[in-house]
Amino acid sequence: MRLPTEEDLAKVAAALGLSLDRARIRAILPEVERLFEAAQRLRELPIDPAQAPRVTEHP
Amino acid sequence: MKGTDLAFASAAEIAAQVRQRELTARQVAEACLARIEALQPRLNCFIQILSDIAFEQASSVDDAIRSGRTAGPLAGVPVAIKDIIDVAGVTTTSASHRWLHRQAETDAALAERLRRAGAILIGKTNLHECAFGVTNINPHYGPVHNPWDPTRIPGGSSGGSAAAVAAGLCAGAVGTDTGGSIRIPASLCGVAGIKPTYGLVPLDGVIPLAWTLDHAGPLARTVRDAALLLDVMAGTVEDDARSLVRALDAAGPLSSRGASGARGVRVGIPRKFFWEHLDIEVETIATTAVETLRSLGAGVRDVEVPYASFAGSAVSVILSTEATAFHEQHLRTHPAEYGEDVRTRLERGFFLSGTDYITALRAQGFLHREFLRAFEEADVLVMPTTQAAASPIDDDPSSASTTSLAMSVHLTRFTNPFNLTGFPALSLPCGFTKEGLPVGLQIVGRPRDEALVLRVGKAYESATEWHTRRPPLH
């Protein structure tokens, strides 16, 4: 899966009504990329598809 | 006790002397406030100094003792509170822009417990803005300086709390920990700090950062004092479903345990991930600490912590989503009121999806079970708290934000997995670099096994003298 681009973020920001100009988007892009990679990486874990998003002994 | 002796006296010693009327709580408060006044300009540990509250509480303790009433286990002990925790009648700043401050009408549950135990709430400590970072370089209140080298960071986000304890400005302090914010500054400032099991210390009256990962706990100069404070702070409150039902002191106060030391305890060394990419001095010092545990009779063996490297990814997604959700309204309307690094951390959270968040929560359950497997072969896990000692303060506007963002990834590597799993984790001093900077050792236990974590920590502390060193403040 490809990493998000400035253009992608600009479109999402507009859709969410966020007042992020191009300079801000450029400033946060590396951090968004890092989070995006982290979220994608979690999908590599061999988690039982039926597992609920809740843990034992950790409410 | 007077002067420096009093400044570095243990909480247990102070409480004993106050109860025995060898010292008054007012004398302790006066000495403590005088030292804060002298060192605050150099260290910037405090956002608010609570002189009136301290003297009022000291009078209450002294009156109780004079009239023969019970004075509490922390009688006259000066305790600093991270300024993200409510103290009645005082503004909670979260070290943020004034529009995010709130006026506390009541004490947070943990503050109320400390007060009821006789502690003197001496001040509200500085922190990384909104507890969202590890450098404690703060655009609203200025940086906290590390007492061992004021040109360096104390770590964060509870940096003011750790620095205040290390500098002898209080006997103990309270911090919060969402990715390592008690243990990292404890490590970098050379004090003990414990993040207890998730839910053990109630969080009502504490401004959240990320509900799923937030913890509160004590910092002190010794493991014994940390246990004494945790005994008071732990427990349940009716309106906080996250608190554990069973009070930790059901089997007796934590601070009185520990007689059996480390003998026979199975110490697991998770070489993969938790002992990788270390500064060479940190690696040498932590390895020596493990050998000390072995010499105390612990059985040391290497263990695997399956999928450990995924924990940080899950923490990043959960933390970013929840922190952005908490701050969304203000962030949308007043983004410029956040420091550059915190603003970036919050804005990035808008771009995560609902499925990303649920995937991370499902990963949390998976990793919780996988991490527990490491405890089939070990009673505690031991590793360095951080990969390196304290770094220089970078408050250059052109680079500070980038440095702060990078430092978060770097310094939370070994600590944030235990925010995800909720396991208890203690950091205590285990040596000093050639430059005189403290290094911390992290001891991790099974959920609700604070007693064993503290027991091993206390055994190590009793066999070494790192906790007796004092920073070069004159």
Side-chain angles (χ1 to χ4, degrees), chain B residues 18-40:
Chain B
V18 169
R19 279 196 300 266
Q20 290 159 17
R21 303 179 70 168
E22 293 167 7
L23 197 61
T24 66
R26 185 175 179 89
Q27 287 173 320
V28 178
E30 283 172 349
C32 188
L33 289 165
R35 189 166 171 87
I36 290 172
E37 189 179 347
L39 290 173
Q40 171 69 5

Side-chain angles (χ1 to χ4, degrees), chain B residues 235-256:
Chain B
T236 59
V237 288
E238 287 178 3
D239 60 352
D240 189 341
R242 291 170 298 178
S243 288
L244 298 177
V245 173
R246 184 172 62 88
L248 190 67
D249 60 359
L254 284 173
S255 53
S256 67

Side-chain angles (χ1 to χ4, degrees), chain B residues 317-341:
Chain B
V317 173
I318 294 168
L319 172 54
S320 291
T321 308
E322 294 188 4
T324 302
F326 179 74
H327 286 275
E328 178 173 3
Q329 195 174 0
H330 198 80
L331 183 63
R332 279 179 177 273
T333 52
H334 300 87
E337 291 175 0
Y338 294 94
E340 176 65 21
D341 61 333

Side-chain angles (χ1 to χ4, degrees), chain B residues 397-421:
Chain B
S398 66
S399 58
S401 176
T402 306
T403 301
S404 170
L405 293 164
M407 292 296 289
S408 288
V409 176
H410 184 59
L411 285 178
T412 62
R413 178 181 169 92
F414 301 151
T415 53
N416 71 22
F418 305 108
N419 294 83
L420 188 75
T421 60

